[in-house]
Amino acid sequence: MSQTNRILSLMPGKALAAEMLHALAKTCSGLVSRPVYFLPVSRHTNMDQEMASQMQDLFRKCQDDGGVLLILPEHLNSFRLLGVDKLAGKDDDRATSRVLLETRKWLDRNARDILDESDALLKPNFELIYTSGDATLLAGAPDRWNLTMQFLTIVQRNAQYL
């Protein structure tokens, strides 16, 4: 039974990323001939189906070459959420979403994560909040809050009689 290569995925904290990339390029690429891949991703990345396929091919090449993938936790979360974001879009976006979600599942099966500074990365208060769309005021703002406060003031004043 043959065993497939796994992608070695290193996740440093944001502050250590540049130094880690430099150290990996120096040691892994030079000493053990393992290529180092660094692919920053943001939810603002203008992702189309062709780019999603290129990323998928790059991850497979990393696996085939026995490479090391350096990725920040926020880049990984952004990559995972890109596929979900594209689901609600146009037909082209849905095709892109399929490639991204397929790649995400493939990564889950074929990558092994090593967390650097895991005590910092796994702290409960280290949470990334990702919103969708532009910030907009809620309907009726700010009057809805003033109305609610006035109502609660009336209830407080009359609670003993109710």
Side-chain angles (χ1 to χ4, degrees):
M1 178 184 217
S2 65
Q3 186 174 356
T4 59
N5 289 338
R6 301 277 185 206
I7 293 177
L8 184 60
S9 171
L10 297 175
M11 287 187 215
K14 193 173 192 170
L16 300 174
E19 184 63 31
M20 175 80 76
L21 180 61
H22 177 72
L24 284 173
K26 188 175 177 182
T27 56
C28 287
S29 295
L31 294 176
V32 292
S33 298
R34 289 182 78 144
V36 177
Y37 294 81
F38 179 64
L39 192 62
V41 179
S42 162
R43 284 182 73 195
H44 300 295
T45 302
N46 189 12
M47 185 71 64
D48 59 11
Q49 188 174 358
E50 182 181 345
M51 185 184 287
S53 294
Q54 287 175 349
M55 286 180 68
Q56 188 179 55
D57 292 342
L58 188 66
F59 290 137
R60 290 184 191 273
K61 182 171 174 24
C62 180
Q63 180 187 32
D64 293 342
D65 294 345
V68 176
L69 175 65
L70 179 67
I71 191 161
L72 297 178
E74 53 263 34
H75 294 165
L76 185 59
N77 284 341
S78 292
F79 175 75
R80 288 179 172 160
L81 290 169
L82 268 173
V84 175
D85 286 347
K86 297 284 185 185
L87 272 177
K90 304 174 292 227
D91 287 338
D92 291 344
D93 284 346
R94 282 190 226 114
T96 303
S97 176
R98 275 192 294 278
V99 174
L100 291 169
L101 293 173
E102 181 182 299
T103 303
R104 182 179 114 186
K105 287 178 187 174
W106 183 87
L107 276 172
D108 289 343
R109 286 189 315 270
N110 293 286
R112 293 298 169 255
D113 300 334
I114 297 175
L115 304 177
D116 187 21
E117 298 293 328
S118 61
D119 56 333
L121 292 176
L122 298 177
K123 273 201 314 199
N125 63 349
F126 182 80
E127 182 178 327
L128 300 171
I129 306 297
Y130 289 96
T131 58
S132 291
D134 297 328
T136 57
L137 290 175
L138 295 174
D143 294 333
R144 68 187 282 160
W145 307 117
N146 293 332
L147 181 64
T148 302
M149 292 305 294
Q150 289 173 1
F151 175 75
L152 291 174
T153 301
I154 292 170
V155 168
Q156 182 182 18
R157 269 189 270 149
N158 296 301
Q160 60 186 343
Y161 302 115
L162 298 175

